[in-house]
Amino acid sequence: MSAQLGNVSQACKVMSYSRDSFYRFKTLYETGGEAALQEISRQKPNRKNRVEQMVEENVLEYAYEQPAYGQLRVSNELKKRGILFSPRGVRSIWLRHALATFKGRLKALEAKMAQENLILTESQLIALERAKEEKKPMARQKQSIRGI
C-alpha cells in the first residue's frame, strides 16, 4: 500500500494504523514472514495485572481453611495480617481457581483432603455438615415432586 501511495504516512492513514504499528509489522514480516504476523494476533496474558504469589497463596489458604467465609470477610482477615487486598481481588483469585462459590470451595477442600489426607478443623467440618444439610431438603423435594 505504501509503495502504491509512495508515502508511509498516507498509507497508515488510509489503513487506520499508526506509523509505529506499521514499522513494527514491517520488522516482524521481514524477520519471520507471515507466521510472525499470525503469532501477534494471539492475546498474551498480562502478567502486570497478577497479584504477588504470597497474596494469592494467602487467599487460597483462607478458601481452604474457612470455606464459609465470603470475599469481604477474607479481605478483612487479610488486612488483620497486614495484607491489604480488596474483596474484588479475592474474588478474581477465586475465579481463577474455581473457588468463587461456597460449593466450589467445599469441592476443592474435599479434593485437597482426599489428596493430602488432611485432618479437618472444626470450622471446616461445620461447613461440610452445613452443605450436607442443605442437600437433604433438596433431595426430599425432588422425591415429593416425583411422587416417590
Side-chain angles (χ1 to χ4, degrees):
M1 183 75 156
S2 65
Q4 290 175 346
L5 293 175
N7 186 343
V8 171
S9 296
Q10 189 65 34
C12 289
K13 280 184 184 178
V14 170
M15 298 300 290
S16 298
Y17 281 111
S18 68
R19 283 188 20 222
D20 180 55
S21 295
F22 169 79
Y23 287 113
R24 196 164 17 100
F25 295 150
K26 181 181 175 195
T27 305
L28 280 171
Y29 183 75
E30 289 170 353
T31 57
E34 288 181 33
L37 292 175
Q38 290 174 348
E39 241 349 92
I40 64 168
S41 66
R42 295 187 188 141
Q43 186 176 5
K44 295 177 179 105
N46 187 357
R47 298 286 179 209
K48 292 182 220 168
N49 291 341
R50 282 290 173 106
V51 296
E52 295 177 29
Q53 186 65 30
M54 185 257 321
V55 174
E56 190 153 342
E57 288 170 3
N58 277 303
V59 170
L60 293 175
E61 184 181 314
Y62 264 108
Y64 296 124
E65 282 180 19
Q66 303 290 344
Y69 282 10
Q71 58 199 35
L72 180 61
R73 180 118 185 235
V74 170
S75 175
N76 289 335
E77 293 296 324
L78 288 172
K79 285 178 188 171
K80 290 178 186 176
R81 289 186 179 182
I83 301 170
L84 298 176
F85 202 61
S86 72
R88 285 185 178 186
V90 170
R91 181 162 175 76
S92 70
I93 291 172
W94 283 355
L95 286 170
R96 260 197 307 272
H97 295 277
L99 302 171
T101 62
F102 178 60
K103 228 186 252 188
R105 292 189 294 278
L106 287 179
K107 279 184 185 178
L109 175 62
E110 288 173 345
K112 188 174 183 175
M113 181 181 68
Q115 187 178 36
E116 299 177 10
N117 294 325
L118 295 175
I119 298 172
L120 298 177
T121 64
E122 187 177 338
S123 61
Q124 291 169 330
L125 285 172
I126 291 170
L128 287 171
E129 292 295 323
R130 191 174 101 194
K132 286 179 186 175
E133 290 299 318
E134 288 175 1
K135 285 181 184 177
K136 285 181 183 178
M138 294 295 267
R140 286 186 196 135
Q141 285 177 354
K142 288 180 183 177
Q143 287 174 352
S144 65
I145 290 172
R146 292 182 191 152
I148 297 174

